[in-house]
Amino acid sequence: DGSDAIIGVDMSTKFIDDLVNTINLFLIGFVVMAILIGGVIAYLFGRNMNNHIQKLVHSMDKMSSGDLTEEITTTRKDEIGTLSHKFEHMRGNLIRMIESVKTNADAIDATSVDLVTGFSEMTEASEQIATGTMEEARASESRSQHIERISTG
């Protein structure tokens, strides 16, 4: 029950120093490997992201020059994917807007042709009325002169 025993171990401190050095070497090796693996992962991730951004920039360059034929597709679910989907939505809206403007321009063109035709017909009718009125005026003048000759006679 109350024994006061002391146990002693006689050991060289070289073993502990060697063990500390071995642990430090493994720790340094682990840190170097973690940095290398992290660097490779960061490089691959960055390259992948850069490729998608470059594709998006290329599509935007084509859109800014008026070429709306290139569809912007992506399978990404991150912010770049969201941005790509928004640009594709904008491209579709631009196409629909341009088609609407073309349709309206065609309608305006057809209406203006109808108006020009109507104005041409009105001009022709006005000329015919003016010609008829002038002929009627000449005939009235002739009748008036004829009546005057008969009455002075």
Side-chain angles (χ1 to χ4, degrees):
D1 88 20
S3 65
D4 293 327
I6 297 177
I7 298 177
V9 176
D10 186 19
M11 201 178 203
S12 166
T13 59
K14 184 175 179 328
F15 171 75
I16 294 176
D17 289 339
D18 288 344
L19 188 59
V20 167
N21 287 338
T22 303
I23 291 173
N24 283 338
L25 282 176
F26 278 119
L27 184 60
I28 289 171
F30 178 76
V31 168
V32 168
M33 289 299 293
I35 289 172
L36 287 175
I37 291 172
V40 168
I41 290 172
Y43 171 76
L44 293 174
F45 180 75
R47 188 177 70 175
N48 185 27
M49 184 176 288
N50 186 47
N51 288 341
H52 287 285
I53 290 172
Q54 289 302 321
K55 278 177 54 178
L56 189 57
V57 167
H58 175 72
S59 295
M60 291 299 98
D61 285 342
K62 288 180 86 171
M63 280 179 59
S64 69
S65 68
D67 182 3
L68 300 176
T69 58
E70 185 171 326
E71 192 171 331
I72 301 169
T73 57
T74 186
T75 57
R76 294 181 68 111
K77 303 291 183 204
D78 59 0
E79 290 81 6
I80 293 175
T82 301
L83 185 63
S84 296
H85 290 295
K86 295 296 180 182
F87 273 120
E88 176 59 24
H89 183 71
M90 181 181 70
R91 184 187 74 85
N93 285 342
L94 284 171
I95 288 171
R96 284 187 289 284
M97 188 183 313
I98 289 170
E99 288 172 356
S100 174
V101 167
K102 284 180 183 177
T103 301
N104 290 339
D106 290 343
I108 289 171
D109 185 45
T111 302
S112 66
V113 167
D114 291 343
L115 286 173
V116 167
T117 302
F119 287 141
S120 295
E121 290 172 357
M122 284 175 43
T123 302
E124 187 179 319
S126 295
E127 288 173 358
Q128 288 176 358
I129 290 171
T131 302
T133 303
M134 287 174 63
E135 288 174 3
E136 185 63 34
R138 282 189 214 124
S140 292
E141 188 177 329
S142 174
R143 280 191 296 270
S144 173
Q145 287 173 356
H146 181 64
I147 290 174
E148 192 177 309
R149 274 185 292 204
I150 291 174
S151 63
T152 58

